[in-house]
Amino acid sequence: PCDPGGKRKVGKPLSHREPPHPPLETLPTRIPGLDAILRGGFLRGGVYMVQGMPGAGKTILGNQLAFAHVAAGGRAVYLTMVSESHARMLGHLRALSFYDGAVIGDALYYVSGFQILEEAGLTGLLDITRHAVRDHDATLLIIDGVATARALVGSDLGRRSDTQKRQLFLAAAGCTADLITLPPPATAEG
């Protein structure tokens, strides 16, 4: 670019650059070894996807993240998209060392989204998610069963505009989200 006199403008010398931005704030998982791999934890306000085959431990990991977050003073919402009842799921968790039934219903709030998704579609599911995060001041949201939701609503779940809306809402709410799902089906080419 040139100034009106025709002389070329020169940028600031490298020595006068603005200082680097501070590191992004992380949300520690408090799961032994995982924070080291993640270099301190999840980025606060980020959205993460945990994929794995049935029985790999995704639901246990999601619950361990939620219970550890609550034990450290945070608040979490765990939204399930599976038809299994919360009572049955929690019954399986009771034997695990991280389980603390005293926090359920207060600092850790479970919501079933399966029926809402069937009846009100993606809009209803997003509404109940926003209300649950806001009403319970959640700083961690776990959505378990994203593959079920995707199967019920089709490709709408992955629309870029919906994903951006979720991310903007979660960032504004100061909430980090973990989405638990099956891996995508293999293609004939890969």
Side-chain angles (χ1 to χ4, degrees):
C2 295
D3 68 15
K7 295 183 181 176
R8 184 167 175 81
K9 291 185 177 182
V10 179
K12 294 180 184 178
L14 289 177
S15 62
H16 294 308
R17 285 193 171 198
E18 293 180 27
H21 295 285
L24 297 173
E25 190 177 354
T26 58
L27 180 72
T29 68
R30 293 175 172 74
I31 295 176
L34 185 56
D35 286 331
I37 292 169
L38 296 174
R39 296 185 178 168
F42 296 118
L43 294 179
R44 196 171 294 276
V47 178
Y48 297 88
M49 180 135 340
V50 175
Q51 292 183 334
M53 298 304 291
K58 300 177 301 295
T59 297
I60 291 174
L61 174 62
N63 277 282
Q64 187 174 7
L65 289 167
F67 277 98
H69 182 69
V70 167
R75 298 183 63 78
V77 168
Y78 198 107
L79 175 72
T80 59
M81 299 303 307
V82 294
S83 56
E84 179 181 49
S85 73
H86 292 155
R88 184 175 173 91
M89 178 181 64
L90 294 172
H92 292 297
L93 297 173
R94 281 188 180 93
L96 301 174
S97 62
F98 62 80
Y99 180 84
D100 178 5
V103 300
I104 297 171
D106 182 33
L108 175 52
Y109 187 74
Y110 284 86
V111 179
S112 178
F114 185 79
Q115 186 174 359
I116 294 161
L117 186 62
E118 280 188 318
E119 294 172 2
L122 184 59
T123 300
L125 181 65
L126 292 175
D127 285 346
I128 192 109
T129 303
R130 277 193 289 271
H131 287 289
V133 167
R134 185 178 53 235
D135 294 349
H136 298 282
D137 295 320
T139 48
L140 178 65
L141 168 67
I142 306 288
I143 302 177
D144 192 349
V146 173
T148 301
R150 191 175 289 131
L152 287 173
V153 298
S155 62
D156 284 349
L157 188 65
R159 281 195 321 215
R160 184 181 207 78
S161 62
D162 288 333
T163 301
Q164 289 171 335
K165 287 176 192 172
R166 275 193 306 271
Q167 288 175 329
L168 286 172
F169 164 74
L170 292 169
C175 189
T176 303
D178 291 307
L179 311 176
I180 300 173
T181 188
L182 299 171
T187 63
E189 299 152 0

mmCIF file of all heavy atoms in Angstrom, residues 185-190:
data_model
loop_
_atom_site.group_PDB
_atom_site.id
_atom_site.type_symbol
_atom_site.label_atom_id
_atom_site.label_comp_id
_atom_site.label_asym_id
_atom_site.label_seq_id
_atom_site.Cartn_x
_atom_site.Cartn_y
_atom_site.Cartn_z
ATOM 1 N N PRO A 185 -19.333 -44.846 9.805
ATOM 2 C CA PRO A 185 -19.241 -46.129 9.097
ATOM 3 C C PRO A 185 -18.122 -46.094 8.064
ATOM 4 O O PRO A 185 -17.854 -45.060 7.461
ATOM 5 C CB PRO A 185 -20.604 -46.290 8.424
ATOM 6 C CG PRO A 185 -21.376 -45.047 8.689
ATOM 7 C CD PRO A 185 -20.579 -44.171 9.603
ATOM 8 N N ALA A 186 -17.479 -47.232 7.874
ATOM 9 C CA ALA A 186 -16.407 -47.332 6.895
ATOM 10 C C ALA A 186 -17.006 -47.242 5.501
ATOM 11 O O ALA A 186 -18.110 -47.711 5.248
ATOM 12 C CB ALA A 186 -15.663 -48.648 7.061
ATOM 13 N N THR A 187 -16.267 -46.617 4.619
ATOM 14 C CA THR A 187 -16.720 -46.537 3.228
ATOM 15 C C THR A 187 -16.130 -47.687 2.428
ATOM 16 O O THR A 187 -15.146 -48.317 2.846
ATOM 17 C CB THR A 187 -16.289 -45.193 2.600
ATOM 18 O OG1 THR A 187 -14.863 -45.142 2.584
ATOM 19 C CG2 THR A 187 -16.854 -44.019 3.369
ATOM 20 N N ALA A 188 -16.671 -47.939 1.269
ATOM 21 C CA ALA A 188 -16.168 -49.012 0.410
ATOM 22 C C ALA A 188 -14.742 -48.716 -0.052
ATOM 23 O O ALA A 188 -13.982 -49.616 -0.349
ATOM 24 C CB ALA A 188 -17.087 -49.199 -0.783
ATOM 25 N N GLU A 189 -14.384 -47.433 -0.111
ATOM 26 C CA GLU A 189 -13.048 -47.037 -0.568
ATOM 27 C C GLU A 189 -12.007 -47.094 0.539
ATOM 28 O O GLU A 189 -10.835 -47.139 0.288
ATOM 29 C CB GLU A 189 -13.099 -45.618 -1.119
ATOM 30 C CG GLU A 189 -14.018 -45.497 -2.301
ATOM 31 C CD GLU A 189 -14.586 -44.095 -2.424
ATOM 32 O OE1 GLU A 189 -14.255 -43.225 -1.587
ATOM 33 O OE2 GLU A 189 -15.381 -43.887 -3.346
ATOM 34 N N GLY A 190 -12.434 -47.005 1.814
ATOM 35 C CA GLY A 190 -11.438 -46.886 2.858
ATOM 36 C C GLY A 190 -11.613 -47.870 3.878
ATOM 37 O O GLY A 190 -10.989 -48.210 4.748
#
